[in-house]
Amino acid sequence: MLTERHLEIFVALAEEEHFGTAAQRVGITQPPLSQGLRRLEALLGVRLFDRERGVSLTDEGTLLLPHARRALTALRELRETGAREHAGGRRLRLGLAPEVPASLAAGVAAAPVRAGERARIGMVTASTAALLGDVAAGRLDIAVIRHPSVLHGLAAGRVILLPTWILAPAGLTDAGGTPTRLPVAVRPRAEAPAAHDLFVDTLASRGRRVETVVVSDERAGLALVAAGQAVLVTADETLTATGVERREAADPPLPLRLRVAWDPRRPDAERTAETARLLEDALARKVAR
């Protein structure tokens, strides 16, 4: 098997042109250096040095020397990168459902570091279905997902209920503050089927006829509200626009249900579960305020 030591012997001997000096440079004695060179030549199937008149590169050796140097440089950079990764602490790959408000998402992502973990946070936003797939595949360590969801063997913490608000066009509500004759802007059902169905069923629990209109995100939903064409339920207390009224979603309650999920089958699952609890606590503090 070709090793880094083989390449070091090749480069040192090519530059020093002397077996003894090259052996000192590599940190070995001359016999192991000669043995290593013979092994390298056997692996490559070529003669690298002409030993009849001192030590000089053959044509094949001259051709291969730049490749050996690049390989050694790449290995050195690999080690240096690994050392920096280790010095920077654990890498935590976090996924968040897009329904999590931006200010809360920032607090959740920062929770492990604020708790004293030496972690470098990488964060992505994706649908609950995509997040669950990424956690199961090992592309993410932890995900904050909508509840209910089919976990397929993943672990999840307690359900956190975030309060929500109904955004409606100004002047288009009845005496009780309920928006009249407007569809509800929702994200595609495929993103979180069970959570989507629970939301729609809860809306219909008061005997109201529920119509929905699919939007790509809450900004698109807000645009429809401002245009007088839809209402929107959001957990983002800062989301608003001119001509939009806001009231708490209390009749019926429409909380955003969230859970923190991870894969208990992974080798570091116990440590990941501890980090998941930190994220849960960050979510729960939002509810308590």
Side-chain angles (χ1 to χ4, degrees):
M1 181 178 66
L2 183 65
T3 67
E4 184 177 4
R5 176 50 58 91
H6 290 137
L7 298 177
E8 289 174 342
I9 289 172
F10 178 23
V11 172
L13 193 55
E15 293 177 353
E16 301 295 341
E17 297 183 339
H18 187 278
F19 276 86
T21 306
Q24 290 179 354
R25 172 171 158 178
V26 177
I28 58 177
T29 59
Q30 186 170 332
L33 182 134
S34 298
Q35 183 179 3
L37 175 60
R38 288 194 297 272
R39 177 60 177 161
L40 176 60
E41 290 179 326
L43 287 169
L44 297 177
V46 297
R47 192 164 60 92
L48 298 173
F49 292 94
D50 184 350
R51 302 168 180 79
E52 295 180 358
R53 291 171 294 179
V55 181
S56 60
L57 285 167
T58 63
D59 291 342
E60 293 86 351
T62 300
L63 180 65
L64 292 175
L65 180 60
H67 297 281
R69 285 172 171 153
R70 284 196 295 271
L72 284 174
T73 298
L75 289 170
R76 182 170 58 252
E77 291 175 349
L78 178 64
R79 284 195 299 271
E80 291 173 352
T81 300
R84 287 195 298 270
E85 291 284 313
H86 179 74
R90 170 195 184 198
R91 184 184 180 195
L92 182 63
R93 301 165 299 175
L94 171 63
L96 295 175
E99 293 83 2
V100 180
S103 59
L104 178 57
V108 168
V113 176
R114 290 174 178 171
E117 282 197 24
R118 293 184 64 250
R120 295 178 298 105
I121 307 298
M123 193 179 80
V124 299
T125 300
S127 70
T128 289
L131 293 176
L132 289 171
D134 285 344
V135 172
R139 291 186 290 270
L140 290 174
D141 300 304
I142 301 176
V144 178
I145 60 171
R146 291 182 65 188
H147 172 80
S149 295
V150 180
L151 297 176
H152 295 297
L154 299 181
R158 66 187 188 273
V159 179
I160 307 295
L161 305 182
L162 296 187
T164 60
W165 289 263
I166 295 177
L167 304 186
L172 292 183
T173 57
D174 60 22
T178 302
T180 59
R181 299 183 302 279
L182 289 177
V184 180
V186 296
R187 299 178 67 89
R189 180 180 181 275
E191 292 188 356
H196 176 280
D197 292 347
L198 176 60
F199 174 78
V200 173
D201 290 346
T202 304
L203 278 175
S205 65
R206 296 296 188 268
R208 302 165 182 160
R209 183 168 178 268
V210 179
E211 294 183 2
T212 60
V213 57
V214 176
V215 294
S216 59
D217 53 37
E218 289 192 340
R219 290 195 303 175
L222 180 62
L224 290 183
V225 176
Q229 297 176 15
V231 297
L232 175 69
V233 179
T234 178
D236 189 344
E237 59 189 14
T238 67
L239 191 66
T240 189
T242 302
V244 172
E245 293 181 350
R246 168 190 293 269
R247 71 174 180 86
E248 189 172 356
D251 183 25
L254 297 166
L256 174 61
R257 296 172 170 86
L258 299 174
R259 297 181 82 181
V260 181
W262 68 96
D263 192 344
R265 299 160 294 195
R266 296 181 65 81
D268 58 348
E270 184 175 346
R271 184 180 184 186
T272 302
E274 294 175 358
T275 303
R277 284 190 284 272
L278 293 175
L279 271 58
E280 280 184 1
D281 291 343
L283 290 169
R285 283 194 295 272
K286 171 66 175 178
V287 178
R289 289 205 302 267

